[in-house]
Amino acid sequence: MIGANVGGGYATFPGVVGTAVSKVCDLEIARTGLREKDARRAGLQYEAVTIESTSRAGYYPGASPMTVKMLAERRTGRLLGVQIVGREGAGKRVDIAAVALTAGMTVEQMTALDLGYAPPFSPVWDPVLVAARKAAAAVRAA
């Protein structure tokens, strides 16, 4: 940004949503956006949901468990944050949520995302979409 502006251009920093991915042995851990303690500290009213799924179609060899936690603002359904833990293929799924956060999507809007499906890569309903559906239902019920 500084270089572009010093060089006569114009650039602004849009900010970041706090996306991080890590790996411990074969366990992938990822997050983006707010955690529950961040949302509480900010005074936000939110719904938090957690789902258990698999990294690929359950019948496909190598499918492993994955946990997705999603936070959505109670009144608006706006996505606030996502945490994912699992084996191969879990960590990079956080990018779906990072894009949704950057775009200001609601969890209801996320349920309509057209994500790629093939048994070696994902179940029919991607774990992030399953979490979004559960979060959207929690927001409607609140």
Side-chain angles (χ1 to χ4, degrees), residues 54-87:
T54 57
S55 57
R56 48 187 69 144
Y59 60 83
Y60 198 86
S64 61
M66 179 183 311
T67 302
V68 179
K69 182 176 181 180
M70 186 172 285
L71 276 66
E73 189 173 36
R74 186 170 289 151
R75 189 178 54 79
T76 65
R78 176 178 56 129
L79 178 66
L80 296 176
V82 173
Q83 294 98 49
I84 303 173
V85 177
R87 305 278 189 257

Side-chain angles (χ1 to χ4, degrees), residues 74-142:
R74 186 170 289 151
R75 189 178 54 79
T76 65
R78 176 178 56 129
L79 178 66
L80 296 176
V82 173
Q83 294 98 49
I84 303 173
V85 177
R87 305 278 189 257
E88 180 185 0
K92 285 301 283 176
R93 279 188 164 89
V94 78
D95 289 344
I96 300 165
V99 169
L101 276 168
T102 300
M105 294 178 79
T106 66
V107 289
E108 187 71 44
Q109 290 170 325
M110 287 181 70
T111 66
L113 290 174
D114 182 20
L115 303 181
Y117 164 69
F121 306 108
S122 176
V124 172
W125 286 99
D126 188 89
V128 173
L129 294 183
V130 174
R133 289 175 67 181
K134 188 172 180 180
V139 167
R140 284 192 299 271

Side-chain angles (χ1 to χ4, degrees), residues 16-34:
V16 296
V17 293
T19 305
V21 181
S22 191
K23 187 171 182 177
V24 178
C25 297
D26 66 342
L27 188 65
E28 298 179 8
I29 305 152
R31 66 167 294 243
T32 191
L34 302 178

